[in-house]
Amino acid sequence: MTEDDHADRNRDRWDSIADDWMARGEAAWVEEPHWGEWRIPESDLNLLPSDMAGRDAIEIGCGTGYVSAWMERRGARVRAIDISENQLETALRLQSEHGTDIEFVCGDAEHLPWDDESADYAISEYGASIWCEPSAWLREAHRVLRPGGSLVFLGSHPLCNICEPLNGDLPVVETLQASYFDLHHQDWGEEGVCYNLPLSRWFEVFRDIGFVVEDYREPRPTSASPERCEQATREWAVKWPTEQVFKLRKP
Ligand SMILES: C[S@@+](CC[C@H](N)C(=O)[O-])C[C@H]1O[C@@H](n2cnc3c(N)ncnc32)[C@H](O)[C@@H]1O
C-alpha cells in the first residue's frame, strides 16, 4: 500500500469518525479561541490577529469549522475547505445555529478552489497541516495568499511522531521508535495517512515555495491542560514537545 491515495483514504476515515468530533466542535464554536490538544489559550500563542475586520481569511481542513467561526467573530470574511462531507455537515448545522456566514466548501486542500492572491490570512489546525503532503498544500496556500499575507499552522511535533510505537498503540513512549531524518508520512492503513517532516526539511520547503518564517512555537501543556491527549500523557508533554506551530509570511 502506498500513500498516493492518501486524500481518498483520509476522506473515508474522517467521514467514518465525524460523529465522534461533533461534541468537541459544538463546544469550541462558543468557546474563546484555544489551540491544539492541550487547549492552549490564544493569549499565549497569538495565532489570530485580534482585529480581522475586512480581511479575507481561509481555513484549510476546517473540520467542524470552529476556527472559522472565531475568525468571523473577529470581523473576517471567511472561506473554509474540508474533504469530509460528514465533517462539513456538522459545520453547516453549527453555522445555521449560530447565524454565521462562512463559505464552506467540500474539496481537497492540495487543490484549493480559490483564486490566486485572494486571501490575507490562512490557518490550519490539525487539518491540511498533518493530513496533506506538505509541499502540495503549502504551494496552494502560497498561491491563494496575497503578498504580505500570513499562513499559520499547528500540527504534531516530529519528536512526538518518532516516539509513537510502530504498532500504532498510543500514548507515545520515552524511547525513539523511528528515524527522524526519514520522516515524511506515517501510514496507518484504514486510519489514514499523516504527514510531518524533520525541522530542517520544513524550512527547506518554506524556502523553496517562497515563505518567510516569522515564528515557531512548541506549545507546552499547563496544569490546566487535560491529563492525556490522543497522542501523549501530559507528563510526557511537559518534558517533550507534542505540537508545533509555524507562523509564515508570503513576502
Ligand atoms: C482534526 S480535523 C481539523 C479541524 C479542527 N481544527 C480540529 O482540530 O478538530 C482534521 C480535518 O482535516 C480534514 N482533511 C483531511 N484531509 C484533507 C484534505 N486533503 N483536504 C481538506 N481537508 C482534509 C478532515 O476531513 C478533517 O475534518
mmCIF file of all heavy atoms in Angstrom, residues 208-248:
data_model
loop_
_atom_site.group_PDB
_atom_site.id
_atom_site.type_symbol
_atom_site.label_atom_id
_atom_site.label_comp_id
_atom_site.label_asym_id
_atom_site.label_seq_id
_atom_site.Cartn_x
_atom_site.Cartn_y
_atom_site.Cartn_z
ATOM 1 N N ASP A 208 11.789 26.944 -0.583
ATOM 2 C CA ASP A 208 11.537 26.608 -1.997
ATOM 3 C C ASP A 208 10.257 27.270 -2.496
ATOM 4 O O ASP A 208 10.171 27.711 -3.634
ATOM 5 C CB ASP A 208 11.380 25.091 -2.179
ATOM 6 C CG ASP A 208 12.714 24.377 -2.081
ATOM 7 O OD1 ASP A 208 13.746 25.077 -2.026
ATOM 8 O OD2 ASP A 208 12.713 23.136 -2.040
ATOM 9 N N ILE A 209 9.243 27.301 -1.635
ATOM 10 C CA ILE A 209 7.942 27.831 -2.067
ATOM 11 C C ILE A 209 7.933 29.360 -2.021
ATOM 12 O O ILE A 209 7.235 30.004 -2.808
ATOM 13 C CB ILE A 209 6.811 27.227 -1.199
ATOM 14 C CG1 ILE A 209 6.700 25.723 -1.480
ATOM 15 C CG2 ILE A 209 5.472 27.915 -1.445
ATOM 16 C CD1 ILE A 209 5.713 24.983 -0.612
ATOM 17 N N GLY A 210 8.713 29.918 -1.108
ATOM 18 C CA GLY A 210 8.767 31.381 -1.031
ATOM 19 C C GLY A 210 8.121 31.952 0.214
ATOM 20 O O GLY A 210 7.724 33.117 0.234
ATOM 21 N N PHE A 211 8.010 31.149 1.264
ATOM 22 C CA PHE A 211 7.516 31.659 2.550
ATOM 23 C C PHE A 211 8.685 32.109 3.421
ATOM 24 O O PHE A 211 9.758 31.486 3.398
ATOM 25 C CB PHE A 211 6.775 30.561 3.319
ATOM 26 C CG PHE A 211 5.342 30.348 2.921
ATOM 27 C CD1 PHE A 211 4.933 29.141 2.370
ATOM 28 C CD2 PHE A 211 4.396 31.347 3.118
ATOM 29 C CE1 PHE A 211 3.605 28.933 2.017
ATOM 30 C CE2 PHE A 211 3.065 31.142 2.766
ATOM 31 C CZ PHE A 211 2.668 29.937 2.221
ATOM 32 N N VAL A 212 8.437 33.127 4.215
ATOM 33 C CA VAL A 212 9.401 33.558 5.227
ATOM 34 C C VAL A 212 8.851 33.110 6.583
ATOM 35 O O VAL A 212 7.655 33.254 6.850
ATOM 36 C CB VAL A 212 9.529 35.099 5.194
ATOM 37 C CG1 VAL A 212 10.343 35.606 6.370
ATOM 38 C CG2 VAL A 212 10.139 35.535 3.877
ATOM 39 N N VAL A 213 9.725 32.558 7.426
ATOM 40 C CA VAL A 213 9.270 32.104 8.744
ATOM 41 C C VAL A 213 9.335 33.267 9.726
ATOM 42 O O VAL A 213 10.394 33.865 9.908
ATOM 43 C CB VAL A 213 10.159 30.946 9.263
ATOM 44 C CG1 VAL A 213 9.679 30.486 10.643
ATOM 45 C CG2 VAL A 213 10.157 29.791 8.272
ATOM 46 N N GLU A 214 8.198 33.581 10.339
ATOM 47 C CA GLU A 214 8.179 34.688 11.306
ATOM 48 C C GLU A 214 8.274 34.199 12.741
ATOM 49 O O GLU A 214 8.740 34.919 13.615
ATOM 50 C CB GLU A 214 6.906 35.506 11.128
ATOM 51 C CG GLU A 214 6.870 36.170 9.773
ATOM 52 C CD GLU A 214 6.103 37.461 9.774
ATOM 53 O OE1 GLU A 214 4.992 37.463 10.326
ATOM 54 O OE2 GLU A 214 6.621 38.446 9.216
ATOM 55 N N ASP A 215 7.786 32.986 12.982
ATOM 56 C CA ASP A 215 7.855 32.477 14.358
ATOM 57 C C ASP A 215 7.656 30.968 14.335
ATOM 58 O O ASP A 215 7.078 30.417 13.391
ATOM 59 C CB ASP A 215 6.770 33.142 15.226
ATOM 60 C CG ASP A 215 7.087 33.077 16.716
ATOM 61 O OD1 ASP A 215 8.179 32.576 17.093
ATOM 62 O OD2 ASP A 215 6.239 33.516 17.521
ATOM 63 N N TYR A 216 8.155 30.323 15.360
ATOM 64 C CA TYR A 216 7.997 28.878 15.529
ATOM 65 C C TYR A 216 7.735 28.635 17.004
ATOM 66 O O TYR A 216 8.487 29.125 17.856
ATOM 67 C CB TYR A 216 9.271 28.153 15.080
ATOM 68 C CG TYR A 216 9.225 26.664 15.330
ATOM 69 C CD1 TYR A 216 8.440 25.831 14.542
ATOM 70 C CD2 TYR A 216 9.960 26.077 16.373
ATOM 71 C CE1 TYR A 216 8.385 24.465 14.772
ATOM 72 C CE2 TYR A 216 9.910 24.712 16.601
ATOM 73 C CZ TYR A 216 9.123 23.914 15.801
ATOM 74 O OH TYR A 216 9.065 22.552 16.033
ATOM 75 N N ARG A 217 6.659 27.924 17.325
ATOM 76 C CA ARG A 217 6.308 27.710 18.729
ATOM 77 C C ARG A 217 6.133 26.226 19.018
ATOM 78 O O ARG A 217 5.729 25.461 18.135
ATOM 79 C CB ARG A 217 4.984 28.449 19.054
ATOM 80 C CG ARG A 217 5.000 29.942 18.757
ATOM 81 C CD ARG A 217 5.855 30.703 19.756
ATOM 82 N NE ARG A 217 5.385 30.547 21.116
ATOM 83 C CZ ARG A 217 4.511 31.364 21.707
ATOM 84 N NH1 ARG A 217 4.029 32.408 21.059
ATOM 85 N NH2 ARG A 217 4.133 31.156 22.957
ATOM 86 N N GLU A 218 6.426 25.835 20.255
ATOM 87 C CA GLU A 218 6.215 24.457 20.707
ATOM 88 C C GLU A 218 5.309 24.522 21.935
ATOM 89 O O GLU A 218 5.793 24.642 23.073
ATOM 90 C CB GLU A 218 7.570 23.809 21.039
ATOM 91 C CG GLU A 218 8.449 23.630 19.810
ATOM 92 C CD GLU A 218 9.888 23.249 20.160
ATOM 93 O OE1 GLU A 218 10.445 23.801 21.131
ATOM 94 O OE2 GLU A 218 10.449 22.408 19.447
ATOM 95 N N PRO A 219 3.987 24.492 21.706
ATOM 96 C CA PRO A 219 3.058 24.667 22.836
ATOM 97 C C PRO A 219 3.267 23.579 23.905
ATOM 98 O O PRO A 219 3.386 22.401 23.578
ATOM 99 C CB PRO A 219 1.672 24.509 22.185
ATOM 100 C CG PRO A 219 1.884 24.786 20.735
ATOM 101 C CD PRO A 219 3.274 24.334 20.421
ATOM 102 N N ARG A 220 3.330 24.032 25.152
ATOM 103 C CA ARG A 220 3.586 23.109 26.267
ATOM 104 C C ARG A 220 2.358 23.112 27.178
ATOM 105 O O ARG A 220 1.857 24.184 27.524
ATOM 106 C CB ARG A 220 4.800 23.632 27.035
ATOM 107 C CG ARG A 220 5.328 22.693 28.070
ATOM 108 C CD ARG A 220 6.509 23.337 28.780
ATOM 109 N NE ARG A 220 7.181 22.373 29.620
ATOM 110 C CZ ARG A 220 8.128 22.680 30.490
ATOM 111 N NH1 ARG A 220 8.532 23.935 30.620
ATOM 112 N NH2 ARG A 220 8.679 21.743 31.228
ATOM 113 N N PRO A 221 1.867 21.927 27.582
ATOM 114 C CA PRO A 221 0.683 21.932 28.434
ATOM 115 C C PRO A 221 0.954 22.586 29.784
ATOM 116 O O PRO A 221 2.094 22.612 30.255
ATOM 117 C CB PRO A 221 0.357 20.444 28.614
ATOM 118 C CG PRO A 221 1.570 19.700 28.204
ATOM 119 C CD PRO A 221 2.342 20.579 27.272
ATOM 120 N N THR A 222 -0.113 23.093 30.381
ATOM 121 C CA THR A 222 -0.017 23.660 31.729
ATOM 122 C C THR A 222 -0.838 22.763 32.657
ATOM 123 O O THR A 222 -1.453 21.794 32.200
ATOM 124 C CB THR A 222 -0.636 25.069 31.760
ATOM 125 O OG1 THR A 222 -2.043 24.917 31.499
ATOM 126 C CG2 THR A 222 -0.016 25.984 30.715
ATOM 127 N N SER A 223 -0.887 23.131 33.938
ATOM 128 C CA SER A 223 -1.672 22.302 34.870
ATOM 129 C C SER A 223 -3.158 22.370 34.537
ATOM 130 O O SER A 223 -3.940 21.527 34.968
ATOM 131 C CB SER A 223 -1.407 22.741 36.308
ATOM 132 O OG SER A 223 -1.640 24.122 36.390
ATOM 133 N N ALA A 224 -3.555 23.368 33.725
ATOM 134 C CA ALA A 224 -4.974 23.463 33.331
ATOM 135 C C ALA A 224 -5.289 22.579 32.115
ATOM 136 O O ALA A 224 -6.445 22.413 31.745
ATOM 137 C CB ALA A 224 -5.315 24.918 33.003
ATOM 138 N N SER A 225 -4.254 22.013 31.505
ATOM 139 C CA SER A 225 -4.478 21.187 30.314
ATOM 140 C C SER A 225 -4.992 19.810 30.734
ATOM 141 O O SER A 225 -4.772 19.380 31.868
ATOM 142 C CB SER A 225 -3.158 21.004 29.551
ATOM 143 O OG SER A 225 -2.640 22.246 29.153
ATOM 144 N N PRO A 226 -5.649 19.092 29.779
ATOM 145 C CA PRO A 226 -6.096 17.729 30.110
ATOM 146 C C PRO A 226 -4.914 16.832 30.485
ATOM 147 O O PRO A 226 -3.782 17.094 30.104
ATOM 148 C CB PRO A 226 -6.731 17.244 28.801
ATOM 149 C CG PRO A 226 -6.881 18.446 27.937
ATOM 150 C CD PRO A 226 -5.983 19.514 28.429
ATOM 151 N N GLU A 227 -5.201 15.782 31.284
ATOM 152 C CA GLU A 227 -4.154 14.836 31.733
ATOM 153 C C GLU A 227 -3.558 14.034 30.589
ATOM 154 O O GLU A 227 -2.434 13.550 30.662
ATOM 155 C CB GLU A 227 -4.767 13.800 32.689
ATOM 156 C CG GLU A 227 -5.169 14.325 34.035
ATOM 157 C CD GLU A 227 -3.994 14.292 35.014
ATOM 158 O OE1 GLU A 227 -3.011 13.584 34.721
ATOM 159 O OE2 GLU A 227 -4.068 14.997 36.028
ATOM 160 N N ARG A 228 -4.369 13.880 29.528
ATOM 161 C CA ARG A 228 -3.962 12.991 28.439
ATOM 162 C C ARG A 228 -4.562 13.545 27.159
ATOM 163 O O ARG A 228 -5.693 14.040 27.170
ATOM 164 C CB ARG A 228 -4.529 11.596 28.768
ATOM 165 C CG ARG A 228 -4.600 10.558 27.661
ATOM 166 C CD ARG A 228 -3.323 9.762 27.532
ATOM 167 N NE ARG A 228 -3.174 9.310 26.145
ATOM 168 C CZ ARG A 228 -3.422 8.102 25.719
ATOM 169 N NH1 ARG A 228 -3.847 7.189 26.565
ATOM 170 N NH2 ARG A 228 -3.241 7.788 24.438
ATOM 171 N N CYS A 229 -3.830 13.499 26.077
ATOM 172 C CA CYS A 229 -4.447 13.742 24.778
ATOM 173 C C CYS A 229 -4.303 12.453 23.985
ATOM 174 O O CYS A 229 -3.793 11.457 24.502
ATOM 175 C CB CYS A 229 -3.802 14.941 24.077
ATOM 176 S SG CYS A 229 -2.158 14.616 23.429
ATOM 177 N N GLU A 230 -4.766 12.468 22.728
ATOM 178 C CA GLU A 230 -4.743 11.218 21.979
ATOM 179 C C GLU A 230 -3.325 10.659 21.894
ATOM 180 O O GLU A 230 -3.086 9.477 22.097
ATOM 181 C CB GLU A 230 -5.325 11.444 20.582
ATOM 182 C CG GLU A 230 -5.657 10.118 19.924
ATOM 183 C CD GLU A 230 -6.128 10.270 18.497
ATOM 184 O OE1 GLU A 230 -6.461 11.393 18.089
ATOM 185 O OE2 GLU A 230 -6.140 9.245 17.794
ATOM 186 N N GLN A 231 -2.359 11.557 21.639
ATOM 187 C CA GLN A 231 -1.001 11.064 21.388
ATOM 188 C C GLN A 231 -0.187 10.794 22.646
ATOM 189 O O GLN A 231 0.673 9.926 22.649
ATOM 190 C CB GLN A 231 -0.222 12.108 20.584
ATOM 191 C CG GLN A 231 -0.656 12.257 19.150
ATOM 192 C CD GLN A 231 -0.179 13.593 18.617
ATOM 193 O OE1 GLN A 231 -0.604 14.642 19.077
ATOM 194 N NE2 GLN A 231 0.733 13.552 17.666
ATOM 195 N N ALA A 232 -0.399 11.613 23.678
ATOM 196 C CA ALA A 232 0.567 11.591 24.788
ATOM 197 C C ALA A 232 -0.094 11.884 26.123
ATOM 198 O O ALA A 232 -1.165 12.492 26.182
ATOM 199 C CB ALA A 232 1.649 12.648 24.526
ATOM 200 N N THR A 233 0.591 11.470 27.182
ATOM 201 C CA THR A 233 0.163 11.907 28.512
ATOM 202 C C THR A 233 0.692 13.332 28.730
ATOM 203 O O THR A 233 1.679 13.744 28.098
ATOM 204 C CB THR A 233 0.759 10.997 29.609
ATOM 205 O OG1 THR A 233 2.188 11.108 29.535
ATOM 206 C CG2 THR A 233 0.323 9.548 29.432
ATOM 207 N N ARG A 234 0.046 14.039 29.652
ATOM 208 C CA ARG A 234 0.539 15.392 29.959
ATOM 209 C C ARG A 234 1.941 15.308 30.558
ATOM 210 O O ARG A 234 2.784 16.165 30.310
ATOM 211 C CB ARG A 234 -0.432 16.091 30.922
ATOM 212 C CG ARG A 234 -0.127 17.569 31.089
ATOM 213 C CD ARG A 234 -1.158 18.258 31.932
ATOM 214 N NE ARG A 234 -1.113 17.803 33.312
ATOM 215 C CZ ARG A 234 -2.069 18.001 34.205
ATOM 216 N NH1 ARG A 234 -3.169 18.637 33.862
ATOM 217 N NH2 ARG A 234 -1.957 17.556 35.441
ATOM 218 N N GLU A 235 2.194 14.243 31.335
ATOM 219 C CA GLU A 235 3.519 14.065 31.946
ATOM 220 C C GLU A 235 4.611 14.025 30.859
ATOM 221 O O GLU A 235 5.672 14.621 31.002
ATOM 222 C CB GLU A 235 3.514 12.759 32.742
ATOM 223 C CG GLU A 235 4.722 12.576 33.610
ATOM 224 C CD GLU A 235 4.751 11.192 34.255
ATOM 225 O OE1 GLU A 235 3.773 10.426 34.129
ATOM 226 O OE2 GLU A 235 5.791 10.885 34.863
ATOM 227 N N TRP A 236 4.304 13.334 29.755
ATOM 228 C CA TRP A 236 5.263 13.269 28.625
ATOM 229 C C TRP A 236 5.416 14.665 28.026
ATOM 230 O O TRP A 236 6.526 15.146 27.779
ATOM 231 C CB TRP A 236 4.718 12.278 27.581
ATOM 232 C CG TRP A 236 5.687 11.817 26.524
ATOM 233 C CD1 TRP A 236 6.371 10.641 26.511
ATOM 234 C CD2 TRP A 236 6.067 12.507 25.307
ATOM 235 N NE1 TRP A 236 7.157 10.556 25.378
ATOM 236 C CE2 TRP A 236 6.994 11.679 24.624
ATOM 237 C CE3 TRP A 236 5.733 13.735 24.740
ATOM 238 C CZ2 TRP A 236 7.569 12.037 23.395
ATOM 239 C CZ3 TRP A 236 6.315 14.098 23.526
ATOM 240 C CH2 TRP A 236 7.218 13.260 22.870
ATOM 241 N N ALA A 237 4.266 15.302 27.828
ATOM 242 C CA ALA A 237 4.259 16.547 27.045
ATOM 243 C C ALA A 237 4.799 17.764 27.796
ATOM 244 O O ALA A 237 5.095 18.778 27.176
ATOM 245 C CB ALA A 237 2.844 16.822 26.553
ATOM 246 N N VAL A 238 4.923 17.661 29.122
ATOM 247 C CA VAL A 238 5.602 18.788 29.792
ATOM 248 C C VAL A 238 7.119 18.646 29.643
ATOM 249 O O VAL A 238 7.859 19.599 29.829
ATOM 250 C CB VAL A 238 5.221 18.968 31.286
ATOM 251 C CG1 VAL A 238 3.782 19.385 31.440
ATOM 252 C CG2 VAL A 238 5.518 17.735 32.097
ATOM 253 N N LYS A 239 7.565 17.441 29.279
ATOM 254 C CA LYS A 239 9.021 17.233 29.102
ATOM 255 C C LYS A 239 9.468 17.380 27.650
ATOM 256 O O LYS A 239 10.567 17.823 27.375
ATOM 257 C CB LYS A 239 9.411 15.848 29.621
ATOM 258 C CG LYS A 239 9.319 15.750 31.136
ATOM 259 C CD LYS A 239 9.924 14.471 31.663
ATOM 260 C CE LYS A 239 8.891 13.381 31.771
ATOM 261 N NZ LYS A 239 9.354 12.142 32.347
ATOM 262 N N TRP A 240 8.623 16.917 26.709
ATOM 263 C CA TRP A 240 9.000 16.946 25.292
ATOM 264 C C TRP A 240 7.838 17.509 24.481
ATOM 265 O O TRP A 240 6.664 17.355 24.864
ATOM 266 C CB TRP A 240 9.315 15.519 24.803
ATOM 267 C CG TRP A 240 10.430 14.878 25.558
ATOM 268 C CD1 TRP A 240 11.756 15.177 25.475
ATOM 269 C CD2 TRP A 240 10.319 13.824 26.529
ATOM 270 N NE1 TRP A 240 12.478 14.373 26.325
ATOM 271 C CE2 TRP A 240 11.618 13.538 26.978
ATOM 272 C CE3 TRP A 240 9.246 13.103 27.054
ATOM 273 C CZ2 TRP A 240 11.877 12.554 27.943
ATOM 274 C CZ3 TRP A 240 9.504 12.124 28.002
ATOM 275 C CH2 TRP A 240 10.810 11.856 28.438
ATOM 276 N N PRO A 241 8.138 18.118 23.337
ATOM 277 C CA PRO A 241 7.056 18.753 22.571
ATOM 278 C C PRO A 241 6.187 17.749 21.804
ATOM 279 O O PRO A 241 6.702 16.854 21.142
ATOM 280 C CB PRO A 241 7.807 19.665 21.593
ATOM 281 C CG PRO A 241 9.159 19.049 21.460
ATOM 282 C CD PRO A 241 9.470 18.344 22.745
ATOM 283 N N THR A 242 4.882 17.915 21.939
ATOM 284 C CA THR A 242 3.939 17.097 21.150
ATOM 285 C C THR A 242 3.425 17.860 19.938
ATOM 286 O O THR A 242 2.918 17.255 19.000
ATOM 287 C CB THR A 242 2.710 16.690 21.985
ATOM 288 O OG1 THR A 242 2.175 17.856 22.595
ATOM 289 C CG2 THR A 242 3.079 15.662 23.035
ATOM 290 N N GLU A 243 3.502 19.199 19.988
ATOM 291 C CA GLU A 243 2.900 20.012 18.925
ATOM 292 C C GLU A 243 3.847 21.115 18.496
ATOM 293 O O GLU A 243 4.723 21.526 19.272
ATOM 294 C CB GLU A 243 1.597 20.648 19.437
ATOM 295 C CG GLU A 243 0.574 19.631 19.844
ATOM 296 C CD GLU A 243 -0.739 20.259 20.309
ATOM 297 O OE1 GLU A 243 -0.713 21.253 21.051
ATOM 298 O OE2 GLU A 243 -1.794 19.729 19.906
ATOM 299 N N GLN A 244 3.631 21.612 17.283
ATOM 300 C CA GLN A 244 4.421 22.743 16.801
ATOM 301 C C GLN A 244 3.520 23.697 16.012
ATOM 302 O O GLN A 244 2.509 23.288 15.442
ATOM 303 C CB GLN A 244 5.579 22.269 15.927
ATOM 304 C CG GLN A 244 5.152 21.553 14.662
ATOM 305 C CD GLN A 244 6.328 21.018 13.844
ATOM 306 O OE1 GLN A 244 7.492 21.220 14.185
ATOM 307 N NE2 GLN A 244 6.023 20.330 12.748
ATOM 308 N N VAL A 245 3.931 24.964 16.023
ATOM 309 C CA VAL A 245 3.204 25.998 15.281
ATOM 310 C C VAL A 245 4.199 26.752 14.414
ATOM 311 O O VAL A 245 5.251 27.186 14.913
ATOM 312 C CB VAL A 245 2.562 27.032 16.238
ATOM 313 C CG1 VAL A 245 1.852 28.124 15.448
ATOM 314 C CG2 VAL A 245 1.620 26.378 17.223
ATOM 315 N N PHE A 246 3.887 26.897 13.138
ATOM 316 C CA PHE A 246 4.677 27.757 12.255
ATOM 317 C C PHE A 246 3.858 28.993 11.912
ATOM 318 O O PHE A 246 2.668 28.882 11.579
ATOM 319 C CB PHE A 246 5.019 27.039 10.945
ATOM 320 C CG PHE A 246 6.031 25.947 11.087
ATOM 321 C CD1 PHE A 246 5.638 24.615 11.116
ATOM 322 C CD2 PHE A 246 7.398 26.243 11.181
ATOM 323 C CE1 PHE A 246 6.586 23.599 11.231
ATOM 324 C CE2 PHE A 246 8.338 25.223 11.300
ATOM 325 C CZ PHE A 246 7.927 23.903 11.322
ATOM 326 N N LYS A 247 4.508 30.149 11.991
ATOM 327 C CA LYS A 247 3.878 31.388 11.506
ATOM 328 C C LYS A 247 4.711 31.870 10.322
ATOM 329 O O LYS A 247 5.893 32.207 10.494
ATOM 330 C CB LYS A 247 3.855 32.458 12.603
ATOM 331 C CG LYS A 247 3.047 32.078 13.839
ATOM 332 C CD LYS A 247 2.966 33.267 14.789
ATOM 333 C CE LYS A 247 2.355 32.863 16.122
ATOM 334 N NZ LYS A 247 2.268 33.985 17.070
ATOM 335 N N LEU A 248 4.092 31.870 9.154
ATOM 336 C CA LEU A 248 4.812 32.197 7.906
ATOM 337 C C LEU A 248 4.214 33.440 7.265
ATOM 338 O O LEU A 248 3.050 33.777 7.495
ATOM 339 C CB LEU A 248 4.684 31.035 6.909
ATOM 340 C CG LEU A 248 4.969 29.613 7.418
ATOM 341 C CD1 LEU A 248 4.777 28.612 6.293
ATOM 342 C CD2 LEU A 248 6.369 29.512 7.991
#
